[in-house]
Amino acid sequence: QVQLVESGGGLVQPGDSLRLSCGASGRTFSTYAMGWFRQAPGKEREFVAAITWSRGNTFYADSVKGRFTISRDNANYTMNLQMNSLKPEDTAVYYCAADLRYGTTSVSNLYEYDYWGQGTQVTVSS
């Protein structure tokens, strides 16, 4: 089992930056990939970014490509999401997720993930 805790959310203005972190504990040695998803009120949960734990391959949703950067610290099982040039449409609860399956076919598919954090609120407003 894996426990995930997100942090770093808050209220910022359009164009500002924010850095989210996700700490993992437990049976983290079996982690294949970790990712960020977000969910706005009345909307379905959507993929934001993901990173494989072994090689550090990164994946981004088109809506955040060029603005967000995902990274990880293998030794500490910590994942970060640097968010720049934030827009009001980025407002959502951001969730950290861990995928423990080796045979994952798509890291952007939320149904591939086994564990989820509680989420952290990101609000972009003037």
Side-chain angles (χ1 to χ4, degrees), residues 37 48 50 56 71 77 89:
F37 292 78
V48 177
S71 62
Y77 281 93
E89 45 264 48

Short mmCIF file of all heavy atoms in Angstrom, two decimals, residues 37 48 50 56 71 77 89:
data_model
loop_
_atom_site.label_atom_id
_atom_site.label_comp_id
_atom_site.label_asym_id
_atom_site.label_seq_id
_atom_site.Cartn_x
_atom_site.Cartn_y
_atom_site.Cartn_z
N PHE A 37 -3.47 14.76 -11.61
CA PHE A 37 -4.77 14.93 -12.23
C PHE A 37 -5.46 16.10 -11.54
O PHE A 37 -5.12 16.45 -10.41
CB PHE A 37 -5.62 13.67 -12.09
CG PHE A 37 -5.11 12.51 -12.90
CD1 PHE A 37 -4.03 11.75 -12.46
CD2 PHE A 37 -5.70 12.16 -14.11
CE1 PHE A 37 -3.55 10.69 -13.19
CE2 PHE A 37 -5.24 11.09 -14.86
CZ PHE A 37 -4.16 10.36 -14.40
N VAL A 48 -3.17 15.73 -16.12
CA VAL A 48 -2.34 16.93 -16.19
C VAL A 48 -0.92 16.58 -16.64
O VAL A 48 -0.43 17.09 -17.64
CB VAL A 48 -2.27 17.66 -14.84
CG1 VAL A 48 -1.34 18.87 -14.93
CG2 VAL A 48 -3.67 18.10 -14.41
N ALA A 50 2.47 13.32 -16.00
CA ALA A 50 2.92 12.09 -15.37
C ALA A 50 4.40 11.88 -15.63
O ALA A 50 4.97 12.46 -16.57
CB ALA A 50 2.12 10.89 -15.89
N GLY A 56 12.25 8.37 -15.80
CA GLY A 56 11.87 9.77 -15.70
C GLY A 56 11.25 10.33 -16.96
O GLY A 56 11.33 11.54 -17.21
N SER A 71 8.56 16.71 -12.21
CA SER A 71 9.85 16.15 -11.85
C SER A 71 9.68 15.21 -10.66
O SER A 71 8.63 15.18 -10.02
CB SER A 71 10.85 17.25 -11.51
OG SER A 71 10.43 18.02 -10.41
N TYR A 77 11.02 9.55 -3.09
CA TYR A 77 9.70 9.29 -3.63
C TYR A 77 8.82 10.54 -3.50
O TYR A 77 7.71 10.50 -2.96
CB TYR A 77 9.06 8.09 -2.94
CG TYR A 77 9.59 6.78 -3.49
CD1 TYR A 77 10.66 6.14 -2.90
CD2 TYR A 77 9.01 6.21 -4.62
CE1 TYR A 77 11.16 4.96 -3.43
CE2 TYR A 77 9.49 5.02 -5.15
CZ TYR A 77 10.57 4.40 -4.54
OH TYR A 77 11.06 3.22 -5.07
N GLU A 89 -8.50 28.98 -15.90
CA GLU A 89 -8.97 27.65 -16.24
C GLU A 89 -8.14 26.54 -15.60
O GLU A 89 -8.50 25.36 -15.69
CB GLU A 89 -9.04 27.44 -17.76
CG GLU A 89 -7.81 27.94 -18.50
CD GLU A 89 -7.99 29.35 -19.06
OE1 GLU A 89 -8.44 30.24 -18.30
OE2 GLU A 89 -7.68 29.56 -20.25
#
